[in-house]
Amino acid sequence: MFRQFRSAVEAALTDALADLDYPTDDLGIEEPPGDVAATLASSVAFRLADEAGAPPAQVAAEVADEVDVDGTDYLVDVDTSGPYLNFFTGEAYLADTLEAARSDDYGALPPKEESVVVEHTSANPTGPVHVGRARNPIIGDAVANALEYAGYDVERHYYVNDAGRQMAVFTWAYETFDESDLPDPERDKPDYDLVRYYRKGNAFLEDGPEEAVAEAEAEIESIMQGLESGDEETFERVSEVVDAVLAGMRETLSRLPAEFDEFVKETRFIRDDSADEIVAELKASDHAELDDGAWVLDLEEWGIDKEFVFLRSDGTTLYTTRDLAHHEWKFDNFDRAVTVLGEDQRLHASQLEAALDVLGNDTDRLTSMFYSWVNLPGGEGMSTREGTGVDLDDLLDEAVSRARDEVETRMEDRIRDDDLDESDVERIAEQVGVGAVRYDIVSKQPTKSITFEWEHALDFEAQSAPYVQYVHARCCGIVDEAAAEGLDPDGLDVDPDALQSQEARDLLRVTARLPAVIEGAADDLEPHRVATYTREFAETFNAFYRECPVLSAEDGRTRDARLALVAAARNTVANALDVLGVAAPESM
């Protein structure tokens, strides 16, 4: 309803300004402070004051008098507060919000005829996923969820670097060293098993006998050349390692959860000759030149000083060359492409976009978004190669363990009597623990570095995942209790006029905004907006819960309306959490 109301305000204000011969390019529409009863406001009078030759407050009054509310969706009145215009909704706005939010898919927008591929995570398959990179799958998955809720046809992709030196080293090490040469794996998972070979191989290349290292380097170079030439045997050798490590990484990522529609391998663009086609096109461009035998692009026209190497002097392509082929493949198959990258990839992203422009692509179809690292207290370093740092599995296990302790501590204080057994406690601990990690990370602006703090992330009383999740569990408890009394909120004939308390009306107003919040998060690729919304929603619901008895309401009419509102709140918070990829427990 909020989206329709906003559109009505935009149309009415635009017409009023046009009738007064004022420009209509910047309407200044915003949400007013919490102490203002209006649903929307406008600061347009500030912009028009100079043109009108009058104080902003006088301009605001002039414009307000010109706004016609007749025939508009939900807009019933306009007034001013000094220089601001205030726009008010009526009873139909709240009634329609209640009806809409009683649907399980509330918040989802109508389908759009536009496809989007979201590439995220894409960590090199060299070992377990590390905490420092955990922000990528969490943000990437939430972005994809927001786009999907906003009506886009979304696919989630993981780009697998299976053609570089790292994978050649890994393959050589796996084929060279024996299990007896290695320490025991830290976990019974393939990524933990195989990373031991990678670490052993790197240590050998650094400290091994000179002649043996030279032989190893020759074999590593042979593997790289075999991949470059499309040799099937070499590809199968490397794939054995890559696929096994990826299987372990996928198991970890699925816990977040972060699932993928396709794992796109870098070697695909060698084997289908598209990387060679990119090389030929770039060589023919006015920006290509030879530099000590290597082919490079001069990208000064795009404000990039560093040359972009797309073909080595030995005639082999680079990761960047194959990534160009990868992106042209995206453009051939999707309307838009979004890539989630670490902040250390900014240069690569700008070079890639410029090179795509050289190739004649519409780079407005590509959006790269960047994130800063996740740190733990103490600032542990992260390196697969050296075997240092904290793995994401460790963080999630610790989160679940702490959540279990918190859930068990609260068992005696639970009002709801639903006889939780050990399996229920374990399930809730997983939902709350993993949800706490995910929510704490996705709720921050991606470009700001963060330090993960247990005390905040698992605080049931603060603005955290458990705080929001508890709202859903509380709603489910009320609905279940109602069902035990023979009341089904979905089947009730509800009179919205029975919701006259300020707390109920406030809850409806916040509920009305969810579709617009999702739309904005999708448009700007900012899922943290949804997290901010969930905190406001939780606070508003808790105020309603404290002040408005539901099943013990003063009369059946009020009881039924409040029960319907609880069901609407359940759907609202469940779907908002779903956008964030956070579980909505039915009991806590």
Side-chain angles (χ1 to χ4, degrees):
M1 304 310 109
F2 183 84
R3 293 172 64 243
Q4 293 91 321
F5 176 67
R6 184 177 59 195
S7 296
V9 169
E10 290 170 351
L13 183 55
T14 297
D15 289 346
L17 294 177
D19 290 344
L20 293 168
D21 292 327
Y22 287 136
T24 60
D25 56 318
D26 182 4
L27 301 179
I29 294 175
E30 58 192 46
E31 293 183 36
D35 58 350
V36 176
T39 302
L40 283 174
S42 170
S43 60
V44 70
F46 286 103
R47 178 176 61 81
L48 299 176
D50 287 344
E51 182 167 339
Q58 182 178 327
V59 176
E62 178 189 20
V63 174
D65 287 342
E66 195 65 31
V67 172
D68 183 5
V69 302
D70 292 339
T72 59
D73 286 341
Y74 307 125
L75 177 58
V76 298
D77 194 19
V78 184
D79 72 11
T80 61
S81 297
Y84 292 94
L85 287 90
N86 297 317
F87 301 90
F88 296 85
T89 54
E91 295 303 311
Y93 178 78
L94 299 181
D96 286 358
T97 293
L98 179 61
E99 182 62 27
R102 292 171 72 184
S103 172
D104 290 342
D105 64 352
Y106 180 64
L109 305 184
K112 295 177 171 61
E113 297 299 321
E114 187 171 348
S115 60
V116 185
V117 57
V118 179
E119 179 202 331
H120 68 83
T121 308
S122 300
N124 292 343
T126 53
V129 182
H130 283 152
V131 168
R133 299 282 181 176
R135 208 169 187 179
N136 196 315
I138 290 173
I139 293 173
D141 191 62
V143 165
N145 293 343
L147 288 166
E148 202 160 57
Y149 263 83
Y152 294 94
D153 181 11
V154 178
E155 283 198 17
R156 298 155 174 83
H157 285 191
Y158 187 121
Y159 186 48
V160 183
N161 178 358
D162 65 334
R165 174 178 166 82
Q166 283 183 313
M167 297 319 303
V169 169
F170 207 152
T171 302
W172 159 78
Y174 178 68
E175 295 174 346
T176 298
F177 297 105
D178 188 82
E179 173 76 24
S180 61
D181 299 327
L182 308 172
D184 292 335
E186 296 172 16
R187 288 174 183 262
D188 185 19
K189 283 179 72 219
D191 45 343
Y192 288 85
D193 177 25
L194 292 176
V195 74
R196 299 175 301 154
Y197 293 91
Y198 184 63
R199 292 168 180 165
K200 178 73 173 179
N202 278 292
F204 181 86
L205 293 174
E206 286 187 2
D207 303 323
E210 185 174 340
E211 185 175 339
V213 169
E215 290 178 2
E217 290 288 0
E219 176 59 21
I220 291 166
E221 179 64 26
S222 173
I223 294 171
M224 293 176 65
Q225 289 288 349
L227 290 173
E228 185 71 26
S229 66
D231 179 68
E232 187 65 29
E233 182 183 352
T234 304
F235 174 74
E236 291 177 359
R237 290 166 61 194
V238 173
S239 292
E240 181 182 359
V241 176
V242 169
D243 293 346
V245 176
L246 270 179
M249 296 172 73
R250 290 173 70 174
E251 185 180 332
T252 299
L253 293 169
S254 68
R255 293 184 64 186
L256 287 173
E259 303 288 352
F260 298 88
D261 296 295
E262 188 169 353
F263 286 77
V264 182
K265 289 187 174 181
E266 186 182 348
T267 50
R268 171 180 188 159
F269 304 103
I270 297 174
R271 291 155 65 83
D272 68 4
D273 297 326
S274 56
D276 289 339
E277 292 169 7
I278 291 290
V279 169
E281 289 184 58
L282 290 178
K283 280 183 177 180
S285 76
D286 294 336
H287 302 277
E289 55 189 43
L290 272 169
D291 183 1
D292 197 22
W295 280 93
V296 301
L297 285 182
D298 182 348
L299 300 177
E300 286 189 9
E301 184 178 320
W302 288 264
I304 301 171
D305 294 331
K306 188 177 176 61
E307 291 180 329
F308 180 82
V309 181
F310 63 89
L311 190 67
R312 297 187 184 94
S313 58
D314 63 2
T316 57
T317 57
L318 293 84
Y319 173 88
T320 49
T321 323
R322 301 183 283 271
D323 204 17
L324 287 171
H326 174 215
H327 277 76
E328 288 207 331
W329 173 80
K330 290 181 184 181
F331 292 154
D332 286 342
N333 290 278
F334 301 93
D335 297 315
R336 288 174 53 200
V338 175
T339 310
V340 182
L341 298 166
E343 60 184 356
D344 58 338
Q345 296 295 307
R346 287 184 181 273
L347 175 60
H348 168 73
S350 61
Q351 289 179 318
L352 179 77
E353 185 172 331
L356 286 168
D357 194 16
V358 170
L359 291 165
N361 294 281
D362 177 8
T363 55
D364 288 340
R365 296 168 60 192
L366 172 63
T367 303
S368 297
M369 57 178 299
F370 301 93
Y371 66 92
S372 295
W373 312 126
V374 175
N375 300 307
L376 295 177
E380 292 93 337
M382 304 290 169
S383 172
T384 313
R385 181 171 174 271
E386 297 173 5
T388 63
V390 178
D391 297 320
L392 180 56
D393 283 312
D394 297 329
L395 179 67
L396 296 180
D397 285 351
E398 180 70 13
V400 172
S401 176
R402 290 181 181 233
R404 185 187 302 106
D405 290 344
E406 188 68 31
V407 170
E408 290 175 344
T409 298
R410 291 171 168 267
M411 290 288 283
E412 294 182 3
D413 298 327
R414 296 178 79 250
I415 298 175
R416 188 174 173 186
D417 183 17
D418 50 359
D419 297 324
L420 298 181
D421 59 24
E422 182 58 32
S423 64
D424 293 322
V425 172
E426 189 63 33
R427 171 179 46 79
I428 294 169
E430 184 80 17
Q431 291 174 320
V432 172
V434 174
V437 171
R438 181 152 181 158
Y439 187 93
D440 195 65
I441 290 173
V442 79
S443 65
K444 311 294 196 307
Q445 291 188 30
T447 53
K448 293 183 178 179
S449 62
I450 59 173
T451 298
F452 184 83
E453 297 176 351
W454 293 111
E455 291 73 14
H456 173 77
L458 287 169
D459 191 338
F460 278 60
E461 310 300 331
Q463 294 184 335
S464 60
Y467 177 73
V468 178
Q469 289 172 312
Y470 198 73
V471 168
H472 184 264
R474 181 166 274 166
C475 289
C476 291
I478 295 171
V479 171
D480 287 349
E481 188 177 347
E485 296 180 12
L487 295 171
D488 177 9
D490 296 330
L492 294 175
D493 185 13
V494 174
D495 181 4
D497 290 340
L499 298 172
Q500 289 300 316
S501 71
Q502 188 61 50
E503 292 80 11
R505 296 170 77 82
D506 287 346
L507 182 56
L508 277 171
R509 289 191 181 95
V510 177
T511 298
R513 288 176 33 228
L514 176 62
V517 170
I518 291 174
E519 183 177 52
D523 287 347
D524 297 328
L525 305 179
E526 293 184 344
H528 65 272
R529 292 189 189 181
V530 181
T532 301
Y533 170 83
T534 62
R535 293 194 292 268
E536 180 185 354
F537 185 89
E539 290 175 354
T540 309
F541 177 85
N542 288 336
F544 164 78
Y545 180 80
R546 287 193 302 269
E547 302 299 329
C548 302
V550 179
L551 300 182
S552 61
E554 56 270 25
D555 57 70
R557 174 171 169 266
T558 302
R559 178 203 62 199
D560 290 354
R562 288 178 179 174
L563 180 57
L565 179 54
V566 169
R570 176 196 60 190
N571 295 336
T572 301
V573 71
N575 292 341
L577 286 172
D578 191 44
V579 172
L580 301 174
V582 174
E586 295 184 4
S587 183
M588 285 176 68

